[in-house]
C-alpha cells in the first residue's frame, strides 16, 4: 500500500478550505468526521484515508499523480497562466492579486495539472484538478488544459483520465469561465470519434459547472466513497424546495444507487481498478478466420424441416 501513490508528498499542504485541526507539533491530524487523532505517518501510509472511520481526506494533484507508473508522467501545457480579463475586484482585493497569492501558496500555476503517463504500462493522458487552488474553480486555464488533454488523447489514440474536484465555474472570469463547460465537453467528442474512452474520477467535493458538464458524459464515471457530488449545494436546494432531502443526498453512494455514476471505488483499490478498465479498452477484437466461421456454423442448431 505504501508504494501505491509513489509521488505522494509526505505531509499535508496547508488548506484554508479544509478543517485540518492539527496540533502544533504537526505529528497528529484530527479526522473531520470521527474526530479521532491519527498519527500523521500512519495516515500518509494509508493514502490519507482515516484508519478508524474510512473517511477519504483530500489529496493534492501531485499526490494523485502517484497513480501512474514511476517516472512515466510528463507534464504538458505547464506554461498556461490565468489572466484577469474583467479587472475583477471583490472585498478590496483584485482577482490578479488573489491569483498571485494562491500561486505562491500552492506552487501551482492554476487548478489543473495535465500531461501523459502510464498505468501498468498502458499509456494515457491525464488531467487532475486540485481543490487547494481557489476551490478548483473552472476558469480559462482549467478549461483549456482539460480541452487540450482530450484533444491530445485523440491525437495519440490513448484513453483520457480526468480526476475532478471543484466548487464550480470561476466567477472572477465571468462568461469566459462559464464557457469552459461547453468547450471541454465538445473537445471530448473528438476523443469519442477515435474510439478512445474518457474515464472520470470524482473526488470530494465535486460541484457546480464541473459536475454539470464533461465528467457526467464520461464513458466510465467513478467516485470515491463518501464523496459529495452535485450541482448546487444541499442546503441551497432545501431552501428552494422548502423540504428536507433524503439522507445521504449527493453522496457517491446515493449517486450510484440512482444510476448517476458507474462505481464507487476505495482509494486503496483505485489503481488496480483503473488498470483493469484500461486493459479492457486496450484489447482489440481479433478478426475471425473462415475456419472459425465454419466451426461456429457447424455448432449452431439445425433448422427443423
Amino acid at each position: 500500500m505504501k508504494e501505491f501513490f509513489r509521488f505522494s508528498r509526505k505531509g499535508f499542504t496547508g488548506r484554508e478550505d479544509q478543517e485540518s485541526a492539527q496540533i502544533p507539533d504537526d505529528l497528529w491530524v484530527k479526522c473531520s468526521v470521527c474526530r479521532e487523532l491519527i498519527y500523521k505517518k500512519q495516515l500518509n501510509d494509508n493514502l490519507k484515508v482515516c484508519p478508524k472511520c474510512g473517511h477519504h481526506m483530500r489529496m493534492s494533484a501531485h499526490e494523485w499523480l502517484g497513480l501512474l507508473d514511476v517516472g512515466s508522467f510528463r507534464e504538458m501545457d505547464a506554461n498556461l497562466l490565468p489572466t484577469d480579463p474583467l479587472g475583477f475586484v471583490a472585498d478590496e482585493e483584485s482577482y490578479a492579486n488573489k491569483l498571485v497569492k494562491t500561486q505562491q501558496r500552492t506552487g501551482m500555476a492554476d487548478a489543473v495539472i495535465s500531461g501523459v503517463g502510464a498505468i501498468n504500462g498502458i499509456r494515457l493522458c491525464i488531467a487532475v484538478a486540485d481543490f487547494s487552488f481557489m476551490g478548483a474553480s473552472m476558469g480559462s486555464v482549467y478549461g483549456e488544459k482539460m480541452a487540450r488533454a482530450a484533444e491530445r488523447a485523440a491525437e495519440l489514440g490513448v484513453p483520457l483520465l480526468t480526476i475532478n474536484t471543484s466548487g464550480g465555474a470561476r466567477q472572477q472570469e465571468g462568461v469566459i469561465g462559464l464557457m469552459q463547460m461547453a468547450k471541454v465537453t465538445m473537445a471530448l467528442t473528438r476523443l469519442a470519434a477515435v474510439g478512445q474512452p474518457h474515464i472520470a474520477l470524482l473526488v470530494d467535493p465535486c460541484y457546480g459547472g464541473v459536475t454539470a458538464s464533461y465528467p457526467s458524459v464520461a464513458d466510465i464515471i467513478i467516485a470515491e466513497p463518501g464523496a459529495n457530488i452535485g450541482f448546487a449545494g444541499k442546503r441551497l436546494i432545501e431552501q428552494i424546495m422548502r423540504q428536507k432531502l433524503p439522507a445521504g443526498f449527493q453522496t457517491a453512494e446515493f449517486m450510484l444507487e440512482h444510476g448517476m455514476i458507474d462505481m464507487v471505488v476505495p482509494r486503496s483499490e483505485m489503481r488496480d481498478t483503473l488498470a483493469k478498465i484500461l486493459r479492457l479498452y486496450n484489447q482489440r477484437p481479433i478478426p475471425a478466420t473462415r475456419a472459425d466461421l465454419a466451426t461456429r456454423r457447424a455448432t449452431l442448431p439445425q433448422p427443423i424441416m
Side-chain angles (χ1 to χ4, degrees):
M1 186 174 290
K2 293 181 182 179
E3 296 300 319
F4 176 51
F5 285 96
R6 300 180 180 89
F7 283 84
S8 296
R9 291 176 177 172
K10 295 299 181 183
F12 291 102
T13 53
R15 294 187 180 92
E16 296 174 356
D17 52 79
Q18 181 184 13
E19 180 186 8
S20 59
Q22 297 181 4
I23 59 178
D25 62 4
D26 205 31
L27 293 176
W28 299 84
V29 178
K30 182 180 284 188
C31 176
S32 61
V33 174
C34 68
R35 312 299 297 171
E36 291 286 338
L37 281 176
I38 310 160
Y39 184 43
K40 191 172 182 179
K41 185 180 183 304
Q42 180 188 13
L43 183 65
N44 288 339
D45 289 346
N46 204 39
L47 311 177
K48 287 192 174 177
V49 177
C50 176
K52 300 182 181 178
C53 71
H55 172 57
H56 285 54
M57 300 183 186
R58 292 176 192 162
M59 299 218 302
S60 69
H62 288 285
E63 288 170 325
W64 275 113
L65 290 174
L67 280 168
L68 304 176
D69 296 346
V70 174
S72 69
F73 179 68
R74 182 163 58 95
E75 187 174 0
M76 309 293 288
D77 305 317
N79 60 328
L80 295 180
L81 296 172
T83 59
D84 184 11
L86 305 180
F88 188 90
V89 177
D91 297 326
E92 300 182 355
E93 182 179 29
S94 69
Y95 172 49
N97 188 48
K98 188 172 184 179
L99 277 174
V100 171
K101 286 183 178 178
T102 307
Q103 288 166 343
Q104 291 173 344
R105 178 174 58 83
T106 62
M108 299 175 64
D110 205 83
V112 170
I113 297 176
S114 62
V116 294
I119 294 179
N120 279 12
I122 301 174
R123 291 186 72 206
L124 74 158
C125 288
I126 184 170
V128 191
D130 194 317
F131 197 81
S132 67
F133 195 102
M134 297 182 70
S137 49
M138 193 178 189
S140 57
V141 171
Y142 183 124
E144 184 66 16
K145 283 192 173 186
M146 286 288 179
R148 289 192 187 189
E151 291 170 350
R152 185 174 297 112
E155 290 170 4
L156 296 175
V158 299
L160 171 66
L161 170 64
T162 61
I163 301 177
N164 308 280
T165 176
S166 181
R170 191 169 298 177
Q171 63 178 1
Q172 294 93 334
E173 295 185 13
V175 71
I176 295 175
L178 290 172
M179 68 176 283
Q180 304 306 316
M181 295 186 290
K183 183 174 87 174
V184 178
T185 304
M186 289 302 297
L188 287 165
T189 60
R190 186 179 175 192
L191 184 64
V194 299
Q196 290 296 333
H198 168 210
I199 304 165
L201 170 57
L202 310 181
V203 300
D204 184 68
C206 196
Y207 278 104
V210 168
T211 301
S213 57
Y214 70 91
S216 296
V217 295
D219 296 282
I220 296 181
I221 307 173
I222 307 172
E224 285 199 302
N228 290 288
I229 304 163
F231 181 61
K234 182 178 179 180
R235 238 180 250 173
L236 176 61
I237 297 173
E238 285 182 334
Q239 289 174 359
I240 293 172
M241 296 180 64
R242 296 182 180 179
Q243 64 182 41
K244 201 74 175 171
L245 292 168
F249 180 74
Q250 289 188 333
T251 62
E253 292 75 13
F254 185 93
M255 301 289 278
L256 178 64
E257 183 181 347
H258 290 79
M260 299 299 291
I261 62 176
D262 297 303
M263 60 183 79
V264 176
V265 180
R267 193 171 290 169
S268 60
E269 301 173 14
M270 192 65 69
R271 178 179 161 88
D272 287 342
T273 300
L274 290 171
K276 288 176 184 176
I277 293 170
L278 291 170
R279 191 161 56 247
L280 288 171
Y281 272 104
N282 198 44
Q283 292 176 347
R284 292 290 180 264
I286 301 172
T289 63
R290 289 185 178 182
D292 292 331
L293 295 174
T295 302
R296 291 174 191 173
R297 279 196 293 268
T299 59
L300 292 174
Q302 298 301 312
I304 299 174
M305 301 301 292

